[in-house]
Amino acid sequence: MKFKYFMARQFDDGLFVIRNKEVPVSFQLCFLTVSCLAGISVPLYKFGHKNANSNENHGGCSGFTEEHSLIDTLLLAQWEDRAAKGLLSYDVTACETKIICGRSKFIAQFIEGWNSKHSLRHVGVKDLDPSKYKMMNLNREEVLFCVAESENMTYELISSATVLSKATLIIINENPIEYGHVFIIPSAVCGFHQLLDLNSLEVAARIAVHVNNCFFQIVYDSSAASTTGNYLHFEACYFANPLPVEMVPVIPVLGDWENIELKIFEIASYPIKGLVFKCKENFKLMVSLVAEVCSRLQDQDVPHKLLITDCGTKIFLFPQGQNEAMVQGFKTGSNPSAWECVGYFVFKTKLEFDQATEESILKRLTAASLNNENFQALKQLCCFLASKMLLA
């Protein structure tokens, strides 16, 4: 079924897509090895119920503040502690970075020998073999802390606790691209599927809300797990300046910002087509809408990336095309990563770094973009789903 078809077709209940896609067991379930976390006690941050659906703390970033939230302080302290212990492969603060000449102001970074495939280690897995499970091979020092729900109304920090079965792990990235680079792995200890769902996206977005730091950015790449048998995960780190895509003008797609709780924008004058979802007050509504849209894209094997920014009140979505060039890109590993989609490029050789041009980057991102017809259909789907949710 082509992307155009699933976007255009409506079913009896008014939804554009209804499809229960069967996923092989080996792609549905992943487990951490029991021995990996046995006896480990780490700091535990609990969200609390008060802010889960309320408007409190969802106002976005109004500017720089020297005050750090509790989880922001915890993340930075734990990351710096592991850096001091030598867990990082290199000093990321010493890596050369530049702005590529041109209107887009793309960011280029040189990290010698950097490998974009490092992500999360697993062992003993054969794809599509339901009799085997994916096992993560973790060093206990890599686990910075856990995040979980609390029965209390307000958030709390427990300095040392056993890893809970449904906890979200915050793991250091040993090959960082920026300060504080971590992996966020929802429900990592118990079994979980590799496809993004509402609960996983909400956890990541709530972490951004609670960190409450404008420099803190979270990305998700739908192809990171599906193409490598990896774990469903997000990446996050701190950037001193806004990412290039955040500086690009946007065009309203849905609603009057003054009168509704949710706004949808189209990114203008950018090589890869994208949408921006922003909540004025209703955090839950925004996350639910983005999760539903991503579910529709996943059902049709449409690769996509997310950027969660502005303290969790804004989410960028970059759907990608499935032309022959993109298919070949997935085979060779040359398809744009989530970081590249937002304008941040890492080069592993000095020659590539020195020769990087805006023209070559524009060509690469444009080749990955959804075509105009399918992007229009995606906008219609988003507006339809948003309207339905607003009226519910």
Side-chain angles (χ1 to χ4, degrees):
M1 187 181 294
K2 295 182 179 180
F3 187 68
K4 173 184 175 183
Y5 177 75
F6 97 77
M7 285 298 187
R9 183 181 175 190
Q10 281 187 302
F11 292 78
D12 294 339
D13 71 345
L15 298 182
F16 282 82
V17 185
I18 301 177
R19 180 181 173 195
N20 293 322
K21 182 178 179 182
E22 293 185 1
V23 181
V25 174
S26 63
F27 281 100
Q28 291 177 337
L29 300 177
C30 301
F31 294 92
L32 289 174
T33 52
V34 176
S35 60
C36 174
L37 296 175
I40 291 183
S41 293
V42 297
L44 173 63
Y45 182 89
K46 292 190 172 184
F47 284 129
H49 291 297
K50 181 177 181 180
N51 299 330
N53 300 304
S54 69
N55 299 334
E56 184 178 352
N57 291 339
H58 298 309
C61 297
S62 58
F64 175 76
T65 174
E66 293 185 356
E67 295 182 2
H68 291 272
S69 69
L70 186 59
I71 190 172
D72 189 34
T73 302
L74 174 64
L75 193 159
L76 289 170
Q78 292 288 86
W79 193 87
E80 290 170 356
D81 173 73
R82 300 313 193 275
K85 291 178 178 177
L87 264 68
L88 301 182
S89 300
Y90 45 81
D91 179 5
V92 70
T93 63
C95 295
E96 186 177 356
T97 304
K98 68 178 181 180
I99 303 297
I100 296 177
C101 293
R103 185 182 66 177
S104 300
K105 306 297 181 184
F106 291 125
I107 302 171
Q109 183 181 41
F110 169 52
I111 302 178
E112 186 174 5
W114 183 76
N115 182 8
S116 62
K117 299 294 185 183
H118 63 270
S119 62
L120 303 172
R121 301 188 300 278
H122 58 271
V123 295
V125 178
K126 290 186 179 180
D127 290 342
L128 304 180
D129 185 349
S131 66
K132 297 185 178 182
Y133 301 105
K134 290 176 169 51
M135 302 293 186
M136 184 183 299
N137 180 24
L138 273 180
N139 180 327
R140 61 187 299 162
E141 286 290 335
E142 294 179 72
V143 182
L144 304 186
F145 61 96
C146 293
V147 176
E149 295 287 346
S150 172
E151 297 180 357
N152 298 327
M153 289 296 291
T154 59
Y155 62 82
E156 59 180 324
L157 175 63
I158 300 174
S159 60
S160 181
T162 302
V163 178
L164 302 176
S165 62
K166 294 184 179 181
T168 293
L169 292 184
I170 310 299
I171 299 174
I172 195 168
N173 187 333
E174 296 178 351
N175 299 283
I177 66 169
E178 253 302 348
Y179 201 77
H181 197 165
V182 296
F183 294 113
I184 300 172
I185 312 179
S187 304
V189 181
C190 62
F192 69 100
H193 56 78
Q194 290 179 292
L195 300 179
L196 183 69
D197 60 10
L198 174 58
N199 290 335
S200 299
L201 181 58
E202 184 175 354
V203 166
R206 288 183 71 187
I207 288 174
V209 170
H210 282 248
V211 168
N212 195 32
N213 189 323
C214 292
F215 305 133
F216 186 70
Q217 312 279 23
I218 299 176
V219 297
Y220 167 76
D221 187 337
S222 69
S223 62
S226 61
T227 60
T228 65
N230 219 325
Y231 289 81
L232 174 103
H233 65 276
F234 300 82
E235 292 185 53
C237 52
Y238 295 81
F239 292 90
N241 298 295
L243 293 165
V245 74
E246 296 183 88
M247 307 303 292
V248 176
V250 293
I251 303 170
V253 173
L254 172 71
D256 182 352
W257 177 242
E258 298 298 327
N259 297 324
I260 68 171
E261 299 173 331
L262 177 70
K263 188 72 174 182
I264 303 176
F265 300 93
E266 174 184 349
I267 304 172
S269 303
Y270 198 67
I272 186 167
K273 294 179 178 64
L275 296 173
V276 184
F277 302 82
K278 185 172 182 179
C279 64
K280 183 178 181 181
E281 293 181 331
N282 196 327
F283 168 81
K284 183 73 172 181
L285 176 64
M286 178 189 68
V287 174
S288 297
L289 174 59
V290 175
E292 181 62 25
V293 173
C294 289
S295 176
R296 304 302 177 91
L297 295 175
Q298 286 171 161
D299 279 345
Q300 299 300 320
D301 297 320
V302 177
H304 52 281
K305 327 290 186 187
L306 297 176
L307 168 67
I308 303 173
T309 185
D310 201 14
C311 301
T313 63
K314 187 186 296 182
I315 300 179
F316 288 73
L317 168 64
F318 303 94
Q320 294 184 300
Q322 293 178 298
N323 53 44
E324 292 183 4
M326 280 301 299
V327 172
Q328 185 62 29
F330 280 114
K331 291 180 180 179
T332 61
S334 62
N335 62 298
S337 69
W339 294 121
E340 290 172 333
C341 286
V342 302
Y344 198 95
F345 294 80
V346 180
F347 298 91
K348 60 183 179 181
T349 70
K350 192 66 166 64
L351 180 62
E352 290 175 331
F353 177 77
D354 291 337
Q355 294 182 347
T357 64
E358 182 181 67
E359 182 181 3
S360 63
I361 290 176
L362 289 174
K363 183 178 180 180
R364 182 181 181 192
L365 292 180
T366 301
S369 183
L370 211 58
N371 63 40
N372 290 331
E373 186 177 10
N374 286 336
F375 188 63
Q376 286 297 121
L378 176 62
K379 290 192 291 184
Q380 293 174 6
L381 173 64
C382 292
C383 291
F384 171 80
L385 293 174
S387 299
K388 186 174 182 179
M389 291 180 179
L390 286 166
L391 294 174

